[in-house]
């Protein structure tokens, strides 16, 4: 599993918040989105991010 520091997530969450027009409130949503993006970017190509499954409908 990729190693994410709080600083990595903080920076990405800030970037997302700025790109969204710096809205007030609900910074938690930006934090969770930042974690999700970073985990996806840093996962191995055949490794699924935590909470994801490969049993998608065919």
């Amino acid at each position: 599993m990729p190693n994410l520091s709080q600083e990595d997530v903080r920076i990405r969450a800030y970037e997302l918040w700025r790109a969204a027009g710096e809205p007030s409130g609900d910074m938690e949503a930006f934090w969770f989105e930042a974690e999700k993006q970073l985990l996806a970017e840093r996962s191995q190509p055949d490794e699924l991010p935590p909470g994801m499954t490969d049993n998608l409908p065919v």
Side-chain angles (χ1 to χ4, degrees):
M1 178 170 175
N3 185 19
L4 295 181
S5 72
Q6 283 192 339
E7 183 69 6
D8 293 336
V9 179
R10 186 191 66 75
I11 291 168
R12 178 64 61 93
Y14 179 74
E15 292 169 352
L16 293 171
W17 174 76
R18 293 279 314 251
E22 303 178 11
S24 60
D26 205 18
M27 267 311 281
E28 225 172 56
F30 293 103
W31 186 272
F32 291 131
E33 180 61 27
E35 283 182 323
K36 179 180 159 186
Q37 288 182 8
L38 290 168
L39 283 170
E41 289 171 12
R42 296 175 184 192
S43 293
Q44 298 295 335
D46 17 335
E47 178 184 327
L48 293 171
M52 301 291 290
T53 63
D54 62 352
N55 57 350
L56 299 173
V58 181

